[in-house]
Amino acid sequence: MALSVSRKIYREILNERVFSTPLLIARHCFSSAQTAPNIPHSAKKGRLLTGATIGLVIVGGTYVYTVDEATFCGWLFSATKLVNPFFALLDPEVAHRLAVSAAARGWIPREKRPDPSNIGLEVWGRKFSNPIGLAAGFDKNAEAVDGLLGLGFGFVEVGSVTPVPQEGNPKPRIFRLPEGALINRCGFNGEGVVAVAKRLDAQHGKRKLDETSRNPSSSTDEAKHRGKAGPGILGVNLGKNKTSEDAAADYVQGVHTLSQYADYLVINVSSPNTPGLRMLQGRKQLEDLVKKVQAARDEMQWGKEGPPPLLVKIAPDLSKEDLEDIAAVALALCLDGLIISNTTVSRPDPVSKNPVAREVGGLSGKPLFNLSTNILKEMYVLTKGKIPLIGCGGVSSGGDAYQKIRAGATLVQLYTAFGYGGPALIPQIKAELAECLERDGFKFITEAVGVDCR
Ligand SMILES: Cc1cc2nc3c(=O)[nH]c(=O)nc-3n(C[C@H](O)[C@H](O)[C@H](O)COP(=O)(O)O)c2cc1C
């Protein structure tokens, strides 16, 4: 949208409104120079300056008008880097609020360039134009799905959404660390399932217009444009209310209210800021929970495409035994996937030396990369590569995304690095990932999944 607005302005400059103005001014300058030779020196200088400025605008405008859409799009994405220092000055939660509002209003660039062909893939029968997704927590209330997908993410996960609206923990509750990290103890602040369902309902109408992401054989115009600013894939991440005593009932309510809008569903049992939540990762608890949620989902009326896949998001702070239990449940109950991982309660070096590291909450960003990638590898081995895994934690470059894929991830997510790097990071990661695959001789991304575990 920003692109088309800018181009429209330049078109107007060139064709209609402004183009005539400098001509008039030039004519005026010329004729007045002949008929009124006694103009003061300062006025002449002023006219010269105005003429030069208008000339520059015309030349610049003409140049922009003639460049192709892809180049212009690249400029817009690069230009967003100029805003990053301003955001860094703001309180993290205020900066986040601003970013979500801007994305909701379409005040961010829209990706018009097709993704590199070697990073597209199909998972759960759905086409992903690239494997880079936005992790849960950024758009908790599904306010900016279209804008965020338009940035070029292969998929966007909203939530965590709880049945009843919650304020979350007292502020401040998000802290920046200079190591490219964050600590947060938000505690599932959100508007609740009903508000999110209403919002998705409005958007779902739009999403429904384009069935291409669900129907790979479609050859409509929209299908051809998939992977640019297409509708993309939407994940819905479900949480539980802080005071709720029946966790399963909370997730089931989430399924009943939101699953019709989701391309995939996530049971989040790994946020460290809701007391008792991580206990649900235990073998027996997880088994009971997944069975109830699967039953709730399967009881609903689904069209020929069937119900949305169900995934579980786990913590990076699990023992080998915990991981074995989760893998056993995932395989036995035919879970559709696992997201590895959420934030960590540990404080790996070099963060541990920072006084901010004493803040209570989950650590995300670069210092989480090794921990979450190691867990990912272990889980890939334990599940024998049979279940799609989404690698999440500390991804801030195409090289990081590639490492996650080699460690067993079919798809990759990020949050913190996007917060620091802004929109320009997304095309950069995709281009770097495509280069990594090409460098190592992988024609398709799927060939690289788990190669470091074999
Ligand atoms: C401020 C903040 C809020 C988050 N909220 C959620 C959430 O509601 N649900 C969830 O599953 N994960 C949440 N996460 C975790 C992220 O989805 C992700 O798993 C984690 O940050 C690791 O990825 P990263 O290092 O790329 O940020 C949140 C993370 C941050 C920084």
Side-chain angles (χ1 to χ4, degrees):
M1 177 177 154
L3 177 70
S4 59
V5 169
S6 324
R7 290 181 84 90
K8 203 172 150 208
I9 291 168
Y10 282 121
R11 223 168 265 145
E12 285 181 355
I13 287 172
L14 288 175
N15 299 337
E16 294 140 29
R17 298 182 198 165
V18 191
F19 196 66
S20 57
T21 318
L23 285 179
L24 286 175
I25 291 172
R27 207 177 294 148
H28 179 71
C29 287
F30 185 70
S31 61
S32 54
Q34 282 184 337
T35 53
N38 294 334
I39 294 169
H41 188 62
S42 59
K44 273 188 192 165
K45 254 174 116 179
R47 283 179 181 175
L48 212 72
L49 217 72
T50 315
T53 312
I54 292 167
L56 263 175
V57 170
I58 294 169
V59 173
T62 311
Y63 181 60
V64 168
Y65 185 69
T66 52
V67 298
D68 59 292
E69 198 172 54
T71 311
F72 193 77
C73 190
W75 287 353
L76 280 182
F77 270 84
S78 298
T80 61
K81 287 186 202 161
L82 300 171
V83 189
N84 293 348
F86 163 70
F87 271 79
L89 292 175
L90 302 173
D91 166 80
E93 196 153 349
V94 173
H96 171 250
R97 190 60 250 150
L98 259 181
V100 174
S101 299
R105 287 169 174 75
W107 295 348
I108 51 171
R110 234 182 146 79
E111 185 56 89
K112 302 278 178 185
R113 300 160 290 182
D115 286 333
S117 56
N118 60 344
I119 61 169
L121 74 165
E122 194 167 322
V123 192
W124 309 303
R126 279 135 169 106
K127 285 227 166 195
F128 289 70
S129 66
N130 72 74
I132 310 298
L134 179 61
F138 188 86
D139 189 5
K140 283 182 186 269
N141 299 307
E143 293 170 79
V145 175
D146 280 353
L148 292 167
L149 283 169
L151 277 180
F153 281 111
F155 61 113
V156 165
E157 191 172 306
V158 298
S160 295
V161 196
T162 54
V164 180
Q166 283 192 161
E167 288 283 321
N169 290 320
K171 294 176 188 172
R173 53 195 179 186
I174 306 180
F175 307 88
R176 288 194 191 98
L177 290 106
E179 295 83 0
L182 290 173
I183 289 175
N184 95 82
R185 50 169 178 268
C186 291
F188 289 163
N189 52 313
E191 296 176 21
V193 289
V194 175
V196 169
K198 271 192 196 146
R199 224 167 258 141
L200 288 178
D201 201 47
Q203 291 169 16
H204 193 59
K206 278 190 234 155
R207 293 171 57 74
K208 274 271 170 185
L209 284 179
D210 187 331
E211 288 283 287
T212 53
S213 59
R214 290 159 188 268
N215 178 10
S217 62
S218 168
S219 63
T220 61
D221 247 17
E222 284 156 323
K224 283 181 212 140
H225 290 100
R226 193 188 326 116
K228 292 180 178 179
I233 308 280
L234 174 69
V236 176
N237 179 310
L238 303 172
K240 82 171 257 297
N241 279 114
K242 188 176 175 182
T243 52
S244 159
E245 303 217 324
D246 186 350
D250 276 21
Y251 292 104
V252 165
Q253 195 172 334
V255 169
H256 284 153
T257 323
L258 291 172
S259 57
Q260 57 202 304
Y261 307 113
D263 288 307
Y264 70 88
L265 282 169
V266 182
I267 310 179
N268 175 16
V269 282
S270 48
S271 287
N273 306 308
T274 296
L277 192 82
R278 287 187 164 196
M279 304 282 282
L280 298 169
Q281 295 172 110
R283 188 175 189 137
K284 179 83 183 77
Q285 293 92 323
L286 190 65
E287 200 172 82
D288 288 349
L289 177 63
V290 171
K291 276 183 184 165
K292 284 180 186 160
V293 173
Q294 278 177 335
R297 179 198 60 171
D298 295 342
E299 275 161 24
M300 293 171 72
Q301 299 278 314
W302 296 107
K304 63 177 180 333
E305 70 195 15
L310 183 68
L311 289 75
V312 170
K313 182 165 177 177
I314 65 170
D317 310 309
L318 296 163
S319 66
K320 177 96 203 223
E321 230 175 43
D322 296 332
L323 292 175
E324 282 167 3
D325 285 347
I326 293 169
V329 172
L331 288 170
L333 299 183
C334 299
L335 257 185
D336 299 294
L338 290 164
I339 303 185
I340 304 165
S341 71
N342 214 311
T343 55
T344 176
V345 290
S346 71
R347 298 291 182 259
D349 282 335
V351 165
S352 57
K353 295 175 186 79
N354 189 325
V356 182
R358 286 187 220 124
E359 292 291 346
V360 172
L363 175 78
S364 59
K366 284 183 185 172
L368 172 62
F369 183 81
N370 287 340
L371 182 63
S372 56
T373 308
N374 289 340
I375 299 275
L376 172 69
K377 256 186 206 165
E378 286 193 52
M379 192 50 91
Y380 183 81
V381 173
L382 287 168
T383 52
K384 305 173 185 81
K386 288 183 178 167
I387 299 173
L389 305 177
I390 300 185
C392 181
V395 172
S396 63
S397 68
D400 292 343
Y402 183 52
Q403 273 195 63
K404 291 274 185 199
I405 290 162
R406 291 185 64 105
T410 299
L411 298 166
V412 176
Q413 284 180 326
L414 69 155
Y415 177 152
T416 304
F418 175 60
Y420 281 108
L425 188 67
I426 308 311
Q428 189 188 315
I429 288 182
K430 291 189 288 188
E432 285 170 5
L433 175 61
E435 269 171 39
C436 289
L437 289 165
E438 207 174 311
R439 181 196 64 206
D440 291 354
F442 295 114
K443 203 158 171 243
F444 301 108
I445 198 160
T446 39
E447 295 167 2
V449 175
V451 288
D452 285 348
C453 308
R454 289 174 201 150

